[in-house]
Amino acid sequence: MAALWQCQGVTSPSTAGAVRQGSLRELNLAVVLRRIATADRPPSRAGIAAGTGLTRATVSAVVDDLIAGRLVAEAEPAPRTGAGRPARGLVLAGDGPAGLGLEVNVDYLAACVVDLTGAVRHHLVRRADLRPVSPADALDRLAALAAEARAAAVRDGLTLAGAALAVPGLVDGGGLVRLAPNLGWRDVDVPALLAGRPLAEPVDGIPPLVVDNEANLAALGELHAGPPGSTSFLHITGEIGIGAGIVLDGTLYRGARGWSGEIGHIPVQPQGRPCRCGGQGCLERYAGQETILAAAGLAGADLPADTAAIRLADLAGAGDPATLTALADAGTALGVAVAGVVNLLDLDTVVLGGGYAPLAPWLRPPVVTEISRRVLTAAWSPVTVRPAALGARSAAVGGATSVVRRVVDQPVAWLARSG
Amino acid sequence: MAALWQCQGVTSPSTAGAVRQGSLRELNLAVVLRRIATADRPPSRAGIAAGTGLTRATVSAVVDDLIAGRLVAEAEPAPRTGAGRPARGLVLAGDGPAGLGLEVNVDYLAACVVDLTGAVRHHLVRRADLRPVSPADALDRLAALAAEARAAAVRDGLTLAGAALAVPGLVDGGGLVRLAPNLGWRDVDVPALLAGRPLAEPVDGIPPLVVDNEANLAALGELHAGPPGSTSFLHITGEIGIGAGIVLDGTLYRGARGWSGEIGHIPVQPQGRPCRCGGQGCLERYAGQETILAAAGLAGADLPADTAAIRLADLAGAGDPATLTALADAGTALGVAVAGVVNLLDLDTVVLGGGYAPLAPWLRPPVVTEISRRVLTAAWSPVTVRPAALGARSAAVGGATSVVRRVVDQPVAWLARSG
DNA sequence: CCATTTAATTCAACCACTGAACAAATTGTG
DNA sequence: CACAATTTGTTCAGTGGTTGAATTAAATGG
């Protein structure tokens, strides 16, 4: 729990411009709330005052607002420390706002509910091959699953503060899915197709649904769920395509147009195999799942993506030589690309997620080898390569987390909601 | 001038935490000053009020403080627009604070003075081969040049608000140069060697000298000097090594440990030529100046880096076939690496700086070719490839600009200075 | 049991912004 | 040329939210 908010950067005032008088309280609500969220143990009002430089009077007033708004609760008194009146510990409320995370992928739908403390309260998954299904029908089914998750949240006394939908493709601002090749989607306007559903109706002015790239949301989930300390990392999602979420200084980097992370088309053999993107020698052609499956002798199996990864892990675990060679080669190609990225961005961590997560035991060694060979500063300060803490299904959790994170960053929007 | 501050992102409050009462004024000083800095034409107090949402009363009070602090001046009345009392235009003061930019490089020393408006008021360059010179002696000479520049600034009525030193190497926080291979420096503690010089003495609490990587400062300079609109770009400095400054969303990205930008060691031929870094097939071995010179038949010439670039440009301009081939090959290698970076980061602009600036006419075509072949989203939205606006000597100017930029972002630090 | 210590609240003071009224400076019109 | 219209900039009482000191609350320790 403590690690949840560990890594986020400083947020600028929501006005992003003039600082009006009321902004003072608005900003300090966020400051105090973040302090509570990032603390190792429940802090006292006095401790927050000492840590932030605000007076105890101000902190008390701010905390009163936060408690009244169900964002903060008083915890059991902490173990005794010495003389003096005992402090009353403050924690994030577990019964206030929650985030709804949704995911549409090639062979499953997922919905999950995360509360303010970062706990995953519900997680529903429906397996289904969605490739032959129209976008409208797929979103129909998703809406049904979302309604189920919402009902479960309401039974827990939680209030949904928003929802985030993860899609394996390029997403434009405003929820337009430009292209999701593996789903067969092109220019799908998600909010329009969901019109009339509770998901699409704004609740008290809070934007109801954010659509984002799967890799981005998975990286956000990893930022909160992973071990603290890594504020700049690459979260690689190896599915049919290879995507990456880039977190720099604790902030997700989306790119000039929101299309960052196309690591699958980094050239690793400039004169190598042609790629469907029109290029040549792209990483995807050497470390993509199709290539690994073919090299392992599973070319015609036509398995769903996550099943395929587990099948490969089983074979590798059993010592199948073709599979081991396939994974070693893929890992080396991945390592070459990652080494270039680390040289450029000076990252301290690389996370293997998506379909790579279960294959990490075999992919990690060649990746580490290439990094240590090719990264200039590797000798000074090592680069951590690890599997995703949330495993292969992190996008929905990451989406839900991004919703509650927004509440922590801008508590006024939540407090202004209803009372 | 208007473009100078065009691209910077929103700055978070300097407290980076609690918002105390006084912070209100502190923040609004910055808001109003930035508004004046980024405006196309000198704005009026009323216009600023309308644009920021502050009241005219507040803006007047803030502007009074800024004028008293010599950060802002009233301009000649703007051309008439209609009825009503004429507005008094506000501009950044050209006679207040200024930034001192310094550069130590292999074959020259440079110092320049930039005022608040972004104008380069002085620019001194001393050519000298600094490789055989000890770090202490080199910094001695630099201090002398800096003193000259400072004297020139004082004659103009300017007050230096700080200095920034560009070094071609890895710089640690606190001014320790870990490694500058081309200068032959290792673990050089710049502030310690400058102790006792006016450069090293803090003036009214303002940190006197910031040491930073040459590529980083050059990128910052390009951010301000270049055409507006490109907020995410890569500034590539092609010298003996190849470095890059990375600007994302208008902010320089330094990396987890401050060592970002080692684009020279991105693998472009994983099984290719061995590199002195221990890796294989690094970009530097295909697009570095040494390689280009050798391919052009100038291997033994031992020219200083900038002279070499101009020599190559002359040969290419004259149609020398070996040189043209060398540049085409280097450009292709560069394009492969850049395509990978653009795929990953979704940049809209790539700037060819340093030694690449004069060679841009020949390097650009192959780079553009590789980008259009290999970048997924190139069809949707084109990537601009252009030479550096500040040319090969942009690091010193960029450093000076970063100093005055800090004044604009945190005017209170300057105002609290002396009165 | 009381001095000591630390936590949290109360309250007058104060700072900076707010909003409205007012003064200043120009254009346009009869 | 006088006067209404218009826009800029300033003045001033009012207010929201922080400040700092005093006060109350609740524990420990001799």
Side-chain angles (χ1 to χ4, degrees):
Chain A
M1 182 206 99
L4 174 62
W5 302 106
Q6 203 85 33
C7 306
Q8 49 204 29
V10 177
T11 316
S12 53
S14 63
T15 50
V19 184
R20 313 197 38 144
Q21 187 153 83
S23 317
L24 248 179
R25 178 45 76 80
E26 183 178 339
L27 291 167
N28 281 332
L29 282 166
V31 167
V32 171
L33 186 55
R34 174 168 315 127
R35 194 92 193 175
I36 294 171
T38 57
D40 283 344
R41 59 191 67 244
S44 66
R45 293 165 175 78
I48 294 172
T52 59
L54 295 167
T55 53
R56 294 199 302 271
T58 303
V59 172
S60 276
V62 169
V63 166
D64 285 348
D65 283 3
L66 293 173
I67 290 178
R70 289 188 152 274
L71 290 172
V72 165
E74 292 196 329
E76 290 304 300
R80 302 253 35 80
T81 57
R85 171 176 170 176
R88 272 181 291 170
L90 299 170
V91 294
L92 292 177
D95 60 351
L100 177 61
L102 303 170
E103 183 176 0
V104 182
N105 220 317
V106 177
D107 39 24
Y108 64 92
L109 294 168
C112 74
V113 176
V114 170
D115 68 22
L116 254 198
T117 70
V120 179
R121 302 285 287 262
H122 300 280
H123 194 167
L124 312 175
V125 179
R126 289 273 179 286
R127 303 193 60 86
D129 186 357
L130 291 164
R131 281 171 295 186
V133 178
S134 77
D137 286 349
L139 290 175
D140 257 2
R141 298 197 203 174
L142 182 74
L145 194 65
E148 237 180 278
R150 173 190 288 256
V154 169
R155 276 197 301 276
D156 286 5
L158 294 164
T159 309
L160 292 186
L165 169 60
V167 176
L170 297 177
V171 181
D172 225 336
L176 181 67
V177 179
R178 283 264 187 219
L179 186 67
N182 301 333
L183 284 173
W185 290 14
R186 177 181 286 274
D187 292 326
V188 174
D189 188 345
V190 175
L193 288 176
L194 285 174
R197 306 300 165 76
L199 264 185
E201 287 164 15
V203 183
D204 295 293
I206 296 175
L209 180 67
V210 172
V211 185
D212 205 341
N213 179 281
E214 166 204 40
N216 282 345
L217 291 180
L220 275 181
E222 204 59 33
L223 171 64
H224 301 313
S230 52
T231 61
S232 296
F233 64 84
L234 192 68
H235 179 273
I236 307 177
T237 314
E239 304 285 352
I240 296 163
I242 306 177
I246 308 167
V247 175
L248 304 177
D249 295 336
T251 305
L252 181 68
Y253 174 70
R254 293 194 141 81
R257 302 132 182 140
W259 298 333
S260 73
E262 288 300 331
I263 195 177
H265 299 278
I266 287 184
V268 293
Q269 294 285 359
Q271 278 83 48
R273 306 171 191 162
C275 177
R276 56 182 169 158
C277 76
Q280 219 180 340
C282 298
L283 174 63
E284 199 167 297
R285 295 287 289 112
Y286 295 85
Q289 208 178 59
E290 282 179 51
T291 305
I292 301 178
L293 286 173
L298 296 172
D302 192 31
L303 300 163
D306 52 345
T307 313
I310 293 166
R311 181 76 165 275
L312 284 170
D314 287 345
L315 282 171
D320 178 63
T323 305
L324 289 175
T325 308
L327 289 175
D329 291 348
T332 299
L334 194 57
V336 168
V338 165
V341 174
V342 173
N343 263 322
L344 185 75
L345 296 180
D346 181 27
L347 305 171
D348 51 27
T349 303
V350 174
V351 179
L352 300 176
Y356 286 153
L359 300 174
W362 298 277
L363 292 174
R364 212 186 86 94
V367 170
V368 169
T369 301
E370 294 302 315
I371 288 178
S372 56
R373 272 187 68 194
R374 299 179 185 277
V375 172
L376 262 192
T377 57
W380 280 303
S381 47
V383 179
T384 304
V385 180
R386 62 170 173 83
L390 293 173
R393 293 272 168 78
S394 49
V397 176
T401 310
S402 75
V403 172
V404 291
R405 188 202 157 161
R406 196 174 53 205
V407 174
V408 171
D409 282 344
Q410 297 180 10
V412 173
W414 165 261
L415 295 176
R417 180 188 48 101
S418 53
Chain B
M1 181 206 101
L4 174 61
W5 302 107
Q6 203 84 32
C7 308
Q8 49 204 27
V10 177
T11 315
S12 52
S14 63
T15 50
V19 183
R20 312 197 37 143
Q21 190 153 85
S23 317
L24 248 179
R25 181 41 81 77
E26 183 177 339
L27 291 167
N28 280 332
L29 282 166
V31 167
V32 170
L33 186 55
R34 174 167 315 125
R35 195 95 194 175
I36 294 170
T38 58
D40 283 345
R41 58 191 69 244
S44 66
R45 294 167 175 76
I48 294 171
T52 59
L54 296 167
T55 51
R56 296 202 301 270
T58 303
V59 173
S60 275
V62 168
V63 167
D64 285 348
D65 283 3
L66 292 173
I67 291 178
R70 290 186 152 274
L71 289 172
V72 164
E74 291 196 329
E76 289 305 299
R80 305 252 34 82
T81 56
R85 170 176 171 175
R88 274 181 288 172
L90 299 171
V91 294
L92 292 177
D95 60 351
L100 177 62
L102 303 170
E103 182 176 1
V104 181
N105 219 316
V106 177
D107 40 25
Y108 63 93
L109 294 167
C112 74
V113 176
V114 170
D115 68 22
L116 254 198
T117 71
V120 178
R121 302 286 287 262
H122 300 280
H123 193 166
L124 312 174
V125 178
R126 289 274 178 284
R127 303 193 58 88
D129 185 358
L130 290 164
R131 281 170 296 186
V133 178
S134 77
D137 285 350
L139 290 174
D140 257 2
R141 298 197 205 174
L142 182 74
L145 193 66
E148 236 179 278
R150 173 189 288 256
V154 169
R155 276 197 302 274
D156 286 4
L158 293 164
T159 309
L160 292 186
L165 169 60
V167 176
L170 298 177
V171 181
D172 225 336
L176 179 67
V177 179
R178 284 266 187 215
L179 185 66
N182 301 333
L183 283 173
W185 290 15
R186 177 181 285 274
D187 293 326
V188 174
D189 187 346
V190 173
L193 289 176
L194 285 174
R197 306 297 166 77
L199 264 185
E201 287 164 16
V203 182
D204 293 294
I206 296 176
L209 178 68
V210 172
V211 185
D212 204 340
N213 179 281
E214 165 204 38
N216 282 345
L217 291 179
L220 275 181
E222 203 59 33
L223 171 64
H224 301 313
S230 52
T231 61
S232 296
F233 64 85
L234 192 67
H235 180 274
I236 307 177
T237 315
E239 303 287 351
I240 297 165
I242 306 176
I246 307 168
V247 175
L248 304 177
D249 294 336
T251 305
L252 180 69
Y253 175 70
R254 293 193 140 83
R257 302 134 183 137
W259 298 334
S260 73
E262 287 301 333
I263 194 176
H265 298 279
I266 286 185
V268 292
Q269 294 284 359
Q271 278 82 49
R273 306 171 192 162
C275 177
R276 55 184 170 157
C277 77
Q280 219 180 337
C282 298
L283 174 64
E284 197 167 295
R285 296 286 289 110
Y286 295 83
Q289 208 176 60
E290 281 180 50
T291 305
I292 301 178
L293 286 172
L298 295 173
D302 192 30
L303 300 164
D306 54 345
T307 314
I310 292 166
R311 180 76 162 275
L312 284 169
D314 288 345
L315 283 170
D320 177 63
T323 305
L324 290 176
T325 309
L327 289 175
D329 290 348
T332 299
L334 194 58
V336 168
V338 165
V341 174
V342 173
N343 262 322
L344 187 74
L345 295 180
D346 181 28
L347 305 170
D348 51 25
T349 304
V350 174
V351 179
L352 300 175
Y356 286 153
L359 300 173
W362 298 276
L363 292 174
R364 213 186 85 93
V367 170
V368 169
T369 302
E370 293 302 316
I371 287 178
S372 56
R373 272 187 67 195
R374 298 178 186 275
V375 172
L376 262 194
T377 57
W380 279 302
S381 47
V383 179
T384 305
V385 180
R386 63 170 173 82
L390 292 173
R393 292 273 168 79
S394 50
V397 176
T401 310
S402 75
V403 172
V404 290
R405 190 204 156 161
R406 197 173 52 207
V407 174
V408 171
D409 281 344
Q410 299 180 9
V412 173
W414 165 261
L415 295 176
R417 182 187 46 99
S418 53

